[in-house]
Amino acid sequence: MTGAPERIALPLARRIALAAQGFGGRRDGAVRAQQLRRLLDKVQLHQIDSVNVLVRAHYLPAFSRLGPYDRAELDRIAWGPRRQRAVFEYWAHEASLLPFALHPLLRWRMAQADRGTAGWAGMRVFADERRSEAMAVLDRIRIDGPLSASDFDSHKGQSGWWEWSDTKRALEWLFWAGHITTATRRGSFERVYDLPERVLPADILAAATPSDADAHRALIERAAAAHGIATSRDLRDYFRLSPAEAPPAIATLAEEGVLTRVEVPGWRDAWLHRDARRPRRIEAQALLAPFDPLVWARDRTERLFGFRYRIEIYVPAEHRQHGYYVLPFLLGERLVARVDLKSDRHARQLLVRRTHLEPDAPAHTGAALSEELESMARWLNLDAVVATG
């Protein structure tokens, strides 16, 4: 007879989650490319976002966990010479940088997009009645080499479908369906597309494609390792699996002993990964991107930390509660403050527009936050931290 699930107190659940996400290690040494690769293997992805008011979001998770590092190193493993690459771009949680090993595990999603059953509604038309138009875009890339949406601008006006918006939608469908991938990013962060066989390692492309069920199981296992402890919904959300796809994978992993059901106060349907560490203490000090995997699931953030967090980029300025680009501040094992930041690159200043401390923030929060802001400013090659609000 199976015993009752282990009961895990919330403070321990927090420490398990933080350790699984790579927090609590030293941040005072030189960061090498190998450490960036190991971190990506641990958290599974860095989400990409177009907002650049502070710094591109995909750079921040490594800074939060490892401390200051050369952003050019991340650029090299993402978009550098082929022999130096370790990650590729695709849709996972959202648009993300992903370790190469995930490519075979996401081919089922590419196949869905190719059939027109995945991806944004506006581009699914290219899987069917407008497929020939998308194939014409693909043929031009095959012949001319890497191209961006703006490289098709010279064709505007020749026919209706060559309008930029249609070209971009065709390119995005080809990307979702795995027919093209990202070759590089231009200075404006515009994506440049190319054929996968000219970008990705041959052994990755030659790797066997698992069944959909096996791929879902592998993705849930990776999500569980990245979480340490999680609800079924947390596990499903990490790689955006559907309510139909995730439960069989979770059940299989439970049968295999990879996941163990546990009880956490206030949580429903909680699971612990068998390799999850249980630290007695976490010493962390980090500013977190709005799209950091520790906090991107807002309900999980509230369950773990009692911290209600919403990004207010699309909220009219007069209605914002905390600011435009607000980063939570992790101190020890708790989220103790949030700060609205902007890089003024012309004046070489890190602007602190608003700061909010949590009601139970410890007395040394201000000093620790100031230290972290100074570290961030140096990392971003800014000369000063300036409070503007």
Side-chain angles (χ1 to χ4, degrees):
M1 184 176 178
T2 304
E6 178 185 3
R7 186 174 177 84
I8 293 182
L10 187 58
L12 176 56
R14 276 197 297 268
R15 294 194 295 273
I16 291 171
L18 287 165
Q21 276 288 308
F23 291 98
R26 294 181 58 182
R27 301 175 68 221
D28 56 357
V31 177
R32 308 296 184 189
Q34 186 59 36
Q35 290 169 273
L36 296 175
R37 293 190 186 98
R38 284 200 298 267
L39 177 61
L40 274 157
D41 287 339
K42 189 177 188 69
V43 302
Q44 300 298 316
L45 57 88
H46 287 351
Q47 186 172 325
I48 296 169
D49 186 78
S50 61
V51 176
N52 196 27
V53 65
L54 175 65
V55 66
R56 300 283 182 195
H58 62 277
Y59 292 119
L60 279 164
F63 173 74
S64 301
R65 291 155 176 79
L66 303 175
Y69 70 97
D70 184 357
R71 283 172 283 159
E73 288 284 3
L74 184 56
D75 289 342
R76 277 189 284 273
I77 67 174
W79 303 293
R82 191 172 182 178
R83 67 184 181 278
Q84 295 181 9
R85 294 193 183 205
V87 298
F88 71 106
E89 283 190 40
Y90 191 61
W91 290 95
H93 184 78
E94 294 288 343
S96 305
L97 293 174
L98 304 155
F100 282 144
L102 282 170
H103 190 275
L105 303 181
L106 290 166
R107 289 177 191 162
W108 60 274
R109 182 167 286 159
M110 298 175 192
Q112 286 183 344
D114 189 66
R115 296 191 301 267
T117 58
W120 303 318
M123 68 184 186
R124 294 187 185 190
V125 65
F126 292 100
D128 191 6
E129 60 259 39
R130 299 183 68 178
R131 191 180 187 95
S132 62
E133 298 169 5
M135 291 299 109
V137 173
L138 179 61
D139 285 342
R140 185 175 169 201
I141 292 173
R142 181 177 290 111
I143 294 167
D144 292 351
L147 295 170
S148 68
S150 62
D151 291 323
F152 288 83
D153 280 355
S154 62
H155 293 266
K156 281 187 176 181
Q158 292 185 9
S159 63
W161 77 273
W162 279 114
E163 291 296 324
W164 187 95
S165 60
D166 279 355
T167 303
K168 178 62 175 176
R169 287 192 296 139
L171 286 165
E172 284 302 302
W173 174 76
L174 289 165
F175 181 81
W176 270 86
H179 296 298
I180 56 177
T181 189
T182 305
T184 190
R185 291 274 187 166
R186 290 182 177 155
S188 61
F189 208 57
E190 183 182 25
R191 182 186 280 152
V192 179
Y193 305 89
D194 201 358
L195 305 180
E197 56 266 33
R198 297 201 290 234
V199 176
L200 304 179
D203 60 327
I204 294 298
L205 294 174
T209 300
S211 68
D212 289 6
D214 285 346
H216 299 159
R217 176 198 170 283
L219 291 171
I220 290 290
E221 182 174 1
R222 286 171 177 263
H227 279 308
I229 190 168
T231 65
S232 293
R233 180 176 177 178
D234 295 335
L235 297 176
R236 176 170 66 83
D237 181 65
Y238 210 74
F239 289 104
R240 294 290 169 86
L241 301 185
S242 75
E245 294 160 346
I250 294 171
T252 300
L253 291 167
E255 290 172 5
E256 295 172 350
V258 177
L259 297 180
T260 301
R261 190 180 292 277
V262 293
E263 291 184 356
V264 181
W267 292 26
R268 292 183 56 192
D269 202 20
W271 301 91
L272 180 73
H273 191 278
R274 66 182 172 193
D275 297 328
R277 289 179 49 229
R278 302 187 183 208
R280 294 184 178 180
R281 188 173 184 178
I282 291 284
E283 292 291 345
Q285 180 173 300
L287 289 160
L288 305 172
F291 311 103
D292 190 290
L294 184 67
V295 296
W296 69 32
R298 310 310 188 199
D299 61 334
R300 177 176 169 86
T301 304
E302 199 160 351
R303 273 187 278 114
L304 271 173
F305 299 100
F307 186 91
R308 189 176 190 278
Y309 178 49
R310 301 292 185 272
I311 189 165
E312 299 178 271
I313 289 173
Y314 304 109
V315 176
E318 63 272 19
H319 297 306
R320 291 180 193 137
Q321 183 178 3
H322 296 110
Y324 179 79
Y325 200 75
V326 175
L327 279 67
F329 180 51
L330 174 68
L331 184 60
E333 302 168 12
R334 296 160 54 199
L335 296 177
V336 298
R338 61 193 90 202
V339 56
D340 184 19
L341 297 178
K342 175 181 173 62
S343 291
D344 184 338
R345 298 173 182 91
H346 178 73
R348 299 182 62 83
Q349 295 176 339
L350 177 59
L351 305 182
V352 183
R353 300 191 286 194
R354 296 168 76 176
T355 300
H356 298 265
L357 302 186
E358 293 297 288
D360 57 349
H364 66 291
T365 296
L369 178 57
S370 294
E371 180 182 340
E372 195 63 21
L373 289 168
E374 292 288 348
S375 177
M376 175 175 276
R378 291 191 296 272
W379 173 58
L380 296 176
N381 299 313
L382 303 174
D383 295 332
V385 177
V386 178
T388 62

